[in-house]
């Protein structure tokens, strides 16, 4: 089996990679029959020479490979027919901007495996960059708070070499006695928590957060049933919420009334209530002035996120009265950090972590006849057609641009 590590060609450039040079070594140790060819790249966080030093061939000839491994979407004109590809296709939610990509995958008889749907038998994702998005998102949020109020200025995350460097930087920051709210208890939320804990910020319970004042900065990490409640007032169970989200309404305003800085690290499912609306943000009791929206659903559950921001320009202001973008330093503006490709800011660490999971869960499936169904569940297309698991996308690919 010959694997190819392809060059990332999407704009803006992404420096991450599925397998680092050390990860390639780990693959060879575990599976001596595996061959790995690396396509040259001038932007990848690991240099071509680093792969060559460990004995891996660098070649522009990806035609020789059986399985091609990438991170972001491959431009249509670069797709090689009749190959197996792994990348984030951003099509499983019928994203209109990538319809043409999925159509081209089918036309070129490509077997597409999407990283987002590499799961175990219970449907839990096995490979993801969520932790790294959480870490960088929280760091960027702290940086945004300092800039909003001219309290301190720390370097952009992309200028620092590692998670360790990010943690060291924020450990020297002292925040005023503010309340920080963190939604989400998965990879993203817990990644953000690493930054808050690394700063030594005190974690408090929901009741303490809502009812008490503190003489230091504190944070509260909450889950879906903390900020959603049943419309009929009945007892809530998390399984019921996920299965019947329309039966719930937001209970977020009780937090918004006492929160200074909000970090959105939750997963938002279709049909779930919005956390807060534009109307909510206009209310006098709405206290939040800084939002780090790691989830970055545009015009969605976090109403202040009206567009994604960029690594180059990560912060914009939202005026709750006009509902328009403004200077984030304006007194009444809510400062919004909504970078939608946060792991790109720590590409080496993010790649290393992703590669560990990919080696543990995906690579073995090519050598054990996919005994755990990893490839089966992630395979979106085969023989020029959608697989049965993804047949719900048929109407999506038949739509015209």
């Amino acid at each position: 089996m010959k694997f190819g590590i392809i060059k990332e060609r999407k704009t803006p450039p992404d420096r991450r990679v599925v397998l680092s040079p050390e990860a390639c070594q780990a693959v060879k140790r575990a599976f001596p029959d595996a061959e790995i060819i690396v396509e040259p790249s001038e932007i990848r966080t690991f240099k071509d020479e680093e792969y060559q030093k460990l004995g891996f061939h660098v070649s522009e000839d990806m035609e020789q490979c059986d399985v091609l491994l990438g991170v972001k979407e491959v431009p249509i004109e670069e797709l090689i027919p009749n190959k197996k590809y792994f990348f984030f296709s951003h099509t499983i939610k019928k994203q209109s901007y990538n319809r043409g990509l999925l159509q081209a995958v089918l036309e070129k008889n490509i077997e597409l495996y999407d990283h987002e749907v590499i799961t175990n038998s219970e449907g839990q994702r096995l490979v993801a960059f969520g932790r790294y998005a959480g870490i960088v998102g929280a760091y960027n949020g702290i940086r945004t708070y300092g800039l909003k109020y001219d309290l301190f200025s720390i370097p952009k995350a992309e200028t620092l070499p590692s998670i360790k460097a990010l943690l060291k930087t924020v450990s020297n920051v002292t925040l005023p006695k503010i309340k920080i709210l963190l939604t989400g208890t998965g990879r993203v939320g817990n990644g953000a928590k690493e930054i808050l804990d690394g700063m030594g910020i005190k974690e408090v319970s929901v009741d303490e957060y809502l009812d008490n004042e503190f003489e230091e900065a504190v944070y509260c990490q909450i889950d879906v049933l903390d900020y959603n409640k049943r419309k009929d007032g009945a007892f809530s169970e998390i399984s019921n919420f996920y299965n019947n989200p329309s039966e719930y309404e937001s209970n977020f305003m009780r937090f918004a009334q006492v929160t200074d800085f909000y970090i959105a690290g939750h997963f938002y499912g279709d049909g779930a209530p919005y956390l807060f609306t534009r109307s909510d943000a206009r209310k006098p009791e709405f206290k939040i002035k800084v939002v780090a929206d790691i989830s970055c659903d545009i015009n969605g559950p976090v109403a202040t996120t009206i567009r994604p921001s960029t690594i180059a320009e990560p912060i914009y202001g939202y005026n709750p009265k006009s509902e328009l973008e403004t200077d984030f330093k304006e007194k009444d503006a809510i400062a919004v950090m909504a970078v939608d490709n946060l792991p790109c800011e720590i590409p080496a660490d993010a790649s290393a972590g992703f590669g560990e999971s990919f080696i543990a869960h995906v690579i073995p499936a090519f050598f054990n006849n996919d005994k755990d169904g990893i490839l089966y569940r992630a395979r979106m297309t085969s023989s020029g057609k959608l697989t049965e698991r993804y047949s719900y996308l048929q109407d999506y690919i038949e739509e015209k641009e």
Side-chain angles (χ1 to χ4, degrees):
M1 180 66 66
K2 190 174 290 188
F3 297 91
I5 298 174
I6 60 175
K7 175 181 177 178
E8 297 295 322
R9 292 178 166 87
K10 188 175 179 181
T11 302
D14 194 312
R15 300 176 63 208
R16 293 173 293 172
V17 67
V18 174
L19 297 175
S20 68
E22 290 73 19
C24 290
Q25 270 193 323
V27 170
K28 286 294 291 181
R29 283 195 298 267
F31 305 99
D33 290 340
E35 282 189 68
I36 301 174
I37 310 296
V38 182
E39 187 174 13
S41 171
E42 67 283 357
I43 61 166
R44 189 182 293 127
T45 189
F46 302 106
K47 305 299 183 187
D48 296 343
E49 294 77 18
E50 294 180 69
Y51 288 94
Q52 290 172 320
K53 284 179 182 177
L54 295 181
F56 296 100
H57 185 49
V58 174
S59 171
E60 293 184 356
D61 179 18
M62 290 289 103
E63 292 266 7
Q64 63 181 303
C65 301
D66 306 299
V67 183
L68 299 172
L69 308 178
V71 177
K72 288 288 189 72
E73 300 99 312
V74 176
I76 291 173
E77 65 275 12
E78 298 291 342
L79 289 168
I80 302 173
N82 308 312
K83 297 293 181 183
K84 293 178 171 67
Y85 271 93
F86 281 78
F87 56 81
F88 286 103
S89 73
H90 298 117
T91 58
I92 64 171
K93 294 181 181 178
K94 300 185 177 182
Q95 292 96 320
S96 58
Y97 57 88
N98 274 339
R99 183 185 295 111
L101 173 61
L102 189 53
Q103 290 169 339
V105 163
L106 294 168
E107 289 168 6
K108 294 174 182 283
N109 191 36
I110 286 167
E111 206 167 281
L112 174 62
Y113 300 80
D114 193 309
H115 295 306
E116 195 168 351
V117 289
I118 298 173
T119 62
N120 62 19
S121 57
E122 281 78 47
Q124 297 168 318
R125 288 184 64 181
L126 297 175
V127 295
F129 287 104
R131 175 191 172 219
Y132 306 95
I135 289 170
V136 177
Y139 178 95
N140 285 358
I142 297 296
R143 180 174 180 271
T144 301
Y145 191 90
L147 293 174
K148 165 76 174 171
Y149 294 106
D150 293 317
L151 294 175
F152 53 84
S153 178
I154 57 177
K156 283 187 172 184
E158 66 168 333
T159 67
L160 299 174
S162 64
I163 292 172
K164 184 177 179 180
L166 265 65
L167 288 167
K168 182 178 180 182
T169 300
V170 293
S171 70
N172 294 317
V173 169
T174 300
L175 292 172
K177 51 181 184 178
I178 61 172
K179 287 185 175 181
I180 304 170
L181 184 69
L182 169 61
T183 50
T185 57
R187 286 188 179 95
V188 175
N190 288 331
K193 187 178 190 299
E194 290 184 48
I195 290 291
L196 301 179
D197 290 342
M199 295 179 70
I201 300 174
K202 180 180 179 181
E203 182 176 9
V204 298
S205 70
V206 169
D207 288 342
E208 289 173 320
Y209 188 86
L210 294 174
D211 299 335
N212 298 345
E213 295 298 325
F214 300 89
E215 292 303 312
E216 61 184 314
V218 299
Y219 81 92
C220 183
Q221 183 179 23
I222 61 176
D223 207 351
V224 290
L225 293 187
D226 294 311
Y227 57 88
N228 291 289
K229 61 181 180 180
R230 282 185 64 99
K231 294 176 181 177
D232 60 8
F235 178 74
S236 301
E237 292 183 347
I238 196 160
S239 59
N240 180 261
F241 173 80
Y242 286 123
N243 292 327
N244 304 288
S246 62
E247 296 178 3
Y248 290 75
E249 62 186 4
S250 174
N251 197 21
F252 186 82
M253 276 302 292
R254 62 183 183 141
F255 293 99
Q257 292 171 11
V258 299
T259 296
D260 302 286
F261 168 26
Y262 169 44
I263 303 172
H266 58 274
F267 170 78
Y268 177 74
D270 290 342
Y274 281 8
L275 279 81
F276 66 88
T277 64
R278 295 186 180 191
S279 176
D280 291 330
R282 283 198 300 272
K283 294 176 180 176
E285 61 267 33
F286 189 91
K287 191 183 177 188
I288 299 169
K289 285 298 182 183
V290 175
V291 175
D293 189 354
I294 303 168
S295 301
C296 197
D297 292 303
I298 309 306
N299 294 317
V302 177
T304 47
T305 303
I306 55 177
R307 67 169 177 87
S309 54
T310 64
I311 293 173
E313 298 290 340
I315 310 166
Y316 59 86
Y318 174 80
N319 184 314
K321 291 181 180 178
S322 68
E323 301 182 3
L324 299 173
E325 186 173 329
T326 187
D327 184 341
F328 75 89
K329 287 196 173 187
E330 284 187 5
K331 182 177 180 295
D332 295 329
I334 298 170
V336 178
M337 190 293 303
V339 174
D340 61 359
N341 56 342
L342 290 161
C344 296
E345 299 197 54
I346 47 169
D349 280 341
S351 297
F354 191 89
E356 286 177 10
S357 298
F358 198 85
I359 293 169
H361 300 292
V362 181
I363 297 293
F366 285 98
F367 298 92
N368 66 16
N369 201 30
D370 195 28
K371 67 181 181 67
D372 297 315
I374 301 293
L375 301 179
Y376 169 77
R377 286 186 293 272
R379 186 185 296 115
M380 292 182 63
T381 62
S382 181
S383 302
K385 298 178 181 178
L386 293 168
T387 58
E388 183 178 358
R389 192 177 182 88
Y390 300 95
S391 60
Y392 72 91
L393 294 171
Q394 189 63 42
D395 62 338
Y396 163 67
I397 61 172
E398 289 176 355
E399 290 180 31
K400 295 181 179 179
E401 293 292 336

